[in-house]
Amino acid sequence: MTTFAASADAWPYPCWIAHRGAGKLAPENTLAAFRLGAEHGFAMFECDVKLSADGEPFLLHDADLERTTNGQGDAGVQSWDALSRLDAGSWHGRAYAGEPLLRLEALSRWLQALGLMVNLEIKPSPGDEVRTGRVVAQQVARLWAHAHVKPLLSSFSVDALRAAQQAQPELTRALLLERWQADGIALAHELGAKALVVNQLVLDENRIEAIHEAGLKALTYTVNDPSRASTLWLSGLDALITDRVDLFEPQARLGANPARLMMSAEALMA
């Protein structure tokens, strides 16, 4: 069983993170989803941030609007005024009809009012990587200026993450990896990142150990199976992003890393 000595330094973020607000239980990246995730006991959320044509940071995963709104076309070429009029809830069900796209500023106010935390994935529209990384970092520094714990910034885009690093180097960053890369750890160090967020399908105990030995935190996405979650926790995982806010509610409310709890229980029984 992996020990946790390699990752025992201070890390301010919870180990349970709700994907896009409440996973698939509410329209993703809307305030309704964050409210539902909080009701299920999650203290930290993951969401996707991109820019409107006029530079407003807002939440949306896809480059286009069709899947999760009643709009059409590329989101990044539209003004925030046009985007703000869209319905981002009806696709998920009539109960969410009229739910709007969410500005980063509005999310910031809500999170800070409740003392909740967030992992902001910088999700640039194609060709807008540098501007998105820079503007999101600048806005995070402004919106969370007085927060004790500021958002964790992450991205698959090296250009966006580097722009965020240059704009606001004091913000905590993480590099996202869909596939395991031999140079992933070195790249994370180059970007000044404190963590790797790795697709759970390519993560195992040896890779978690390698991440820790490099002085980084090991996070993963998107884990919805309890057995797989247990395996990763026991392999030394630091944090897990999940859609199943309903299934993992008891653990999220408890807050502690499940592997540490299991190790403590084993020690008491020994």
Side-chain angles (χ1 to χ4, degrees):
M1 182 181 296
T2 298
T3 65
F4 293 88
S7 58
D9 54 300
W11 177 254
Y13 304 108
C15 59
W16 291 98
I17 304 172
H19 190 222
R20 302 180 193 172
K24 300 182 184 301
L25 299 186
E28 63 186 57
N29 287 322
T30 65
L31 191 55
F34 289 98
R35 286 174 172 150
L36 186 58
E39 289 174 9
H40 281 283
F42 280 75
M44 186 170 180
F45 306 92
E46 181 272 352
C47 60
D48 308 283
V49 184
K50 53 173 35 75
L51 299 183
S52 63
D54 49 345
E56 184 68 41
F58 72 101
L59 273 57
L60 186 73
H61 177 272
D62 299 359
D64 54 51
L65 294 161
E66 281 83 354
R67 183 176 66 87
T68 58
T69 80
N70 63 341
Q72 294 183 332
D74 295 338
V77 302
Q78 302 199 31
S79 69
W80 173 246
D81 181 67
L83 292 165
S84 69
R85 302 170 190 270
L86 298 177
D87 178 347
S90 289
W91 69 275
H92 197 276
R94 295 180 62 183
Y96 295 107
E99 188 72 23
L101 289 169
L102 183 59
R103 293 171 69 210
L104 180 61
E105 184 169 359
L107 176 64
S108 169
R109 289 196 300 268
W110 183 82
L111 290 170
Q112 292 184 74
L114 295 175
L116 302 174
M117 287 175 261
V118 68
N119 166 203
L120 299 174
E121 181 186 339
I122 303 171
K123 200 81 170 181
S125 296
D128 202 20
E129 289 79 11
V130 173
R131 182 180 74 128
T132 305
R134 181 183 69 252
V135 172
V136 169
Q138 290 170 338
Q139 290 299 308
V140 165
R142 178 181 69 85
L143 294 169
W144 276 269
H146 303 295
H148 178 62
V149 178
K150 293 176 173 56
L152 172 65
L153 302 183
S154 65
S155 189
F156 290 103
S157 168
V158 171
D159 289 341
L161 211 54
R162 183 174 288 117
Q165 176 189 19
Q166 293 170 349
Q168 296 292 333
E170 75 284 356
L171 295 176
T172 306
R173 294 173 301 282
L175 176 64
L176 275 155
L177 296 179
E178 183 176 4
R179 295 176 297 276
W180 185 255
Q181 298 176 208
D183 66 342
I185 289 173
L187 186 56
H189 280 304
E190 178 190 332
L191 294 166
K194 301 296 185 184
L196 278 177
V197 188
V198 184
N199 183 345
Q200 61 97 6
L201 296 175
V202 299
L203 196 60
D204 59 25
E205 183 171 0
N206 290 334
R207 288 172 176 173
I208 290 173
E209 185 176 358
I211 293 168
H212 285 164
E213 287 178 349
L216 301 171
K217 295 295 181 181
L219 285 67
T220 194
Y221 73 95
T222 305
V223 183
N224 299 322
D225 176 69
S227 177
R228 178 60 174 154
S230 294
T231 297
L232 290 168
W233 289 126
L234 290 170
S235 296
L237 189 71
D238 294 300
L240 178 152
I241 299 170
T242 183
D243 288 318
R244 292 305 306 268
V245 297
D246 52 341
L247 183 62
F248 293 120
E249 178 176 347
Q251 296 97 315
R253 289 191 183 280
L254 194 58
N257 187 305
R260 291 189 175 93
L261 294 177
M262 284 184 267
M263 291 169 68
S264 297
E266 288 178 359
L268 289 172
M269 294 172 62

